[in-house]
Amino acid sequence: MVLNTPPMGWNTWNTFGRNIDENLILETADAMVENGLKDAGYEYLVIDDCWSSKQRDENGNLVPDPIRFPHGLKYLADYVHSKGLKFGIYSCCGPLTCEAYPGSLDHEYQDAKFFADNEVDYLKYDWCFHPRNLAGWTLYNRMRMALNATGRNIVFSICNWSEEGSFEWVNKVGGDLFRSGGDIYDSIESIKSITYRQMPLLCFSGPGCYNDMDMLICGMYGKGNVSSPGGCTDAQYDTHFKIWCMSSTPLMIGCDVRNMNDFTKNLLTNKELIAINQDPEQRPPMIVKTDSRYIVLFKHLANGEYALSVSNFTDSQVHANVILPEIGFPADGQWVLRLRDIDTGDQIGDIAEGFNIEVEPWATRIFKGKVVKVR
């Protein structure tokens, strides 16, 4: 199975960490449907680390925690599937997961069969406690081959934080997406750090294998497992989501979707932004300008359209200059870039050479348009 667009869904880790149980998964599946997330394209419901018992059974099989998940994984998968969603789970390529639960090292085929028997659709496969004498590509190739042997289509999410130059081999070993950095936290500094670090890696993303900049923190507001004091402002969450959409990275929600405010719900279901992320051509953006103040990205979309974003990473308003010849646009006056602000719907006009954009602190503005011949 080839993923034609980046996966969209929800993951337990950012908000709940170890504090997960059966009721949370059932209620979240309900909320994803009731709050319009499923209709917006979010289809994977993924349980992260800490779902299993601390020991395998006498036959070496993984065991869901009997207190927190008394009915097992198949019960959850059936319920998630009944909602029109897909079910995901977590393991690790070492003997232990990051939270010291049983990992899948040397149990790859056994665990892959266990996942398939429980009708898992998505596996997040982490990097903690991996044996240092084995190459990472070998460990991930093992699990991809084991998943293939089950005959079930299971999305393979490689999470090795871009160590060992993994962006160069994840596609070769059958990865459908790959984490290209460390964990995100609920702070604007974390968003900024990831964004600047990812710029050189965006070119490795494309149909079939997507650069995963980590899960979304929109709507957390300083609460949860990856929280920072105060969290982020709405403008900062807006910038976070827009950059992730421009970068064609997977959109995996991390907030408690049972308790979203209107701003968060409207942001996460914004059709125009999601359309940029899910564009059929899946071309990574061009980096037009990047400095300590702002980043300008330009992205080819299907149907001859383009998206242009300007992100302000300072506490002050910036006046960003966008020079179209720097993008490769001829400044002969015969052709113009006709742009529209996707937030306001306002027509910016026909731009031939360049323009100046005012962007508020920590905000991002995105424009969509087409090239038009005017004379």
Side-chain angles (χ1 to χ4, degrees), residues 220-241:
M220 290 187 62
Y221 297 107
K223 300 175 182 177
N225 185 50
V226 298
S227 63
S228 297
C232 296
T233 66
D234 286 346
Q236 291 165 350
Y237 287 136
D238 183 76
T239 277
H240 169 39
F241 190 67

Short mmCIF file of all heavy atoms in Angstrom, two decimals, residues 220-241:
data_model
loop_
_atom_site.label_atom_id
_atom_site.label_comp_id
_atom_site.label_asym_id
_atom_site.label_seq_id
_atom_site.Cartn_x
_atom_site.Cartn_y
_atom_site.Cartn_z
N MET A 220 -3.61 22.43 23.17
CA MET A 220 -3.22 21.84 24.46
C MET A 220 -3.20 22.88 25.58
O MET A 220 -3.47 22.55 26.74
CB MET A 220 -1.85 21.16 24.33
CG MET A 220 -1.89 19.89 23.49
SD MET A 220 -0.32 18.97 23.50
CE MET A 220 -0.17 18.57 25.24
N TYR A 221 -2.80 24.10 25.29
CA TYR A 221 -2.82 25.21 26.25
C TYR A 221 -2.11 24.89 27.57
O TYR A 221 -2.61 25.19 28.65
CB TYR A 221 -4.26 25.65 26.52
CG TYR A 221 -4.97 26.18 25.31
CD1 TYR A 221 -5.97 25.42 24.68
CD2 TYR A 221 -4.64 27.42 24.76
CE1 TYR A 221 -6.62 25.91 23.55
CE2 TYR A 221 -5.29 27.90 23.63
CZ TYR A 221 -6.27 27.14 23.03
OH TYR A 221 -6.92 27.62 21.90
N GLY A 222 -0.96 24.24 27.47
CA GLY A 222 -0.16 23.99 28.67
C GLY A 222 -0.63 22.83 29.51
O GLY A 222 -0.16 22.65 30.63
N LYS A 223 -1.52 22.00 28.99
CA LYS A 223 -2.02 20.84 29.74
C LYS A 223 -1.61 19.56 29.03
O LYS A 223 -1.73 19.45 27.82
CB LYS A 223 -3.54 20.89 29.85
CG LYS A 223 -4.07 22.13 30.55
CD LYS A 223 -5.60 22.15 30.53
CE LYS A 223 -6.14 23.42 31.18
NZ LYS A 223 -7.63 23.48 31.11
N GLY A 224 -1.11 18.59 29.80
CA GLY A 224 -0.82 17.31 29.19
C GLY A 224 0.60 16.85 29.36
O GLY A 224 1.42 17.47 30.05
N ASN A 225 0.91 15.77 28.67
CA ASN A 225 2.17 15.05 28.86
C ASN A 225 3.38 15.79 28.32
O ASN A 225 4.49 15.61 28.83
CB ASN A 225 2.05 13.68 28.18
CG ASN A 225 3.25 12.80 28.40
OD1 ASN A 225 3.69 12.62 29.53
ND2 ASN A 225 3.77 12.23 27.34
N VAL A 226 3.21 16.61 27.28
CA VAL A 226 4.35 17.35 26.72
C VAL A 226 4.17 18.85 26.95
O VAL A 226 4.62 19.67 26.17
CB VAL A 226 4.54 17.06 25.21
CG1 VAL A 226 4.83 15.58 24.99
CG2 VAL A 226 3.33 17.51 24.40
N SER A 227 3.53 19.18 28.05
CA SER A 227 3.17 20.57 28.30
C SER A 227 4.36 21.41 28.72
O SER A 227 5.35 20.90 29.25
CB SER A 227 2.09 20.65 29.38
OG SER A 227 2.57 20.13 30.61
N SER A 228 4.24 22.69 28.46
CA SER A 228 5.15 23.71 28.96
C SER A 228 4.28 24.77 29.63
O SER A 228 3.11 24.93 29.27
CB SER A 228 5.96 24.34 27.81
OG SER A 228 6.78 23.37 27.19
N PRO A 229 4.81 25.51 30.59
CA PRO A 229 3.98 26.49 31.31
C PRO A 229 3.26 27.44 30.36
O PRO A 229 3.88 28.13 29.56
CB PRO A 229 5.01 27.24 32.17
CG PRO A 229 6.09 26.24 32.40
CD PRO A 229 6.19 25.46 31.13
N GLY A 230 1.95 27.44 30.45
CA GLY A 230 1.15 28.34 29.63
C GLY A 230 0.87 27.87 28.23
O GLY A 230 -0.03 28.37 27.57
N GLY A 231 1.65 26.91 27.73
CA GLY A 231 1.45 26.44 26.37
C GLY A 231 1.68 27.53 25.35
O GLY A 231 2.60 28.35 25.48
N CYS A 232 0.85 27.58 24.32
CA CYS A 232 0.99 28.57 23.26
C CYS A 232 -0.27 29.42 23.16
O CYS A 232 -1.33 29.07 23.68
CB CYS A 232 1.21 27.87 21.91
SG CYS A 232 2.75 26.92 21.80
N THR A 233 -0.16 30.54 22.47
CA THR A 233 -1.31 31.37 22.16
C THR A 233 -2.02 30.80 20.93
O THR A 233 -1.46 29.96 20.19
CB THR A 233 -0.89 32.81 21.87
OG1 THR A 233 -0.10 32.82 20.66
CG2 THR A 233 -0.06 33.38 23.02
N ASP A 234 -3.22 31.28 20.67
CA ASP A 234 -3.93 30.83 19.48
C ASP A 234 -3.16 31.17 18.21
O ASP A 234 -3.11 30.37 17.27
CB ASP A 234 -5.33 31.47 19.43
CG ASP A 234 -6.29 30.85 20.43
OD1 ASP A 234 -5.99 29.77 20.98
OD2 ASP A 234 -7.36 31.45 20.68
N ALA A 235 -2.54 32.33 18.17
CA ALA A 235 -1.75 32.71 16.99
C ALA A 235 -0.59 31.75 16.77
O ALA A 235 -0.25 31.41 15.63
CB ALA A 235 -1.24 34.14 17.13
N GLN A 236 0.02 31.31 17.87
CA GLN A 236 1.15 30.39 17.75
C GLN A 236 0.69 29.01 17.31
O GLN A 236 1.35 28.35 16.50
CB GLN A 236 1.89 30.33 19.08
CG GLN A 236 2.62 31.63 19.39
CD GLN A 236 3.06 31.75 20.84
OE1 GLN A 236 2.69 30.94 21.70
NE2 GLN A 236 3.86 32.76 21.14
N TYR A 237 -0.46 28.55 17.81
CA TYR A 237 -1.01 27.28 17.33
C TYR A 237 -1.37 27.38 15.86
O TYR A 237 -1.20 26.42 15.09
CB TYR A 237 -2.24 26.89 18.14
CG TYR A 237 -1.94 26.40 19.55
CD1 TYR A 237 -2.70 26.84 20.62
CD2 TYR A 237 -0.91 25.50 19.81
CE1 TYR A 237 -2.46 26.40 21.91
CE2 TYR A 237 -0.65 25.05 21.09
CZ TYR A 237 -1.43 25.50 22.14
OH TYR A 237 -1.18 25.06 23.42
N ASP A 238 -1.90 28.53 15.45
CA ASP A 238 -2.25 28.76 14.06
C ASP A 238 -1.01 28.65 13.17
O ASP A 238 -1.04 28.00 12.11
CB ASP A 238 -2.89 30.14 13.92
CG ASP A 238 -3.37 30.44 12.51
OD1 ASP A 238 -4.41 29.90 12.10
OD2 ASP A 238 -2.69 31.23 11.81
N THR A 239 0.08 29.27 13.59
CA THR A 239 1.34 29.17 12.85
C THR A 239 1.83 27.73 12.78
O THR A 239 2.26 27.25 11.72
CB THR A 239 2.40 30.08 13.49
OG1 THR A 239 2.21 31.42 13.00
CG2 THR A 239 3.82 29.66 13.12
N HIS A 240 1.78 27.05 13.90
CA HIS A 240 2.17 25.64 13.96
C HIS A 240 1.42 24.82 12.91
O HIS A 240 2.03 24.10 12.10
CB HIS A 240 1.88 25.15 15.39
CG HIS A 240 1.96 23.69 15.61
ND1 HIS A 240 2.92 22.88 15.05
CD2 HIS A 240 1.20 22.87 16.40
CE1 HIS A 240 2.76 21.64 15.47
NE2 HIS A 240 1.71 21.61 16.28
N PHE A 241 0.10 24.93 12.90
CA PHE A 241 -0.69 24.13 11.98
C PHE A 241 -0.43 24.52 10.53
O PHE A 241 -0.31 23.65 9.65
CB PHE A 241 -2.18 24.30 12.31
CG PHE A 241 -3.08 23.34 11.58
CD1 PHE A 241 -3.03 21.99 11.86
CD2 PHE A 241 -3.98 23.79 10.63
CE1 PHE A 241 -3.86 21.09 11.19
CE2 PHE A 241 -4.81 22.91 9.96
CZ PHE A 241 -4.75 21.56 10.25
#
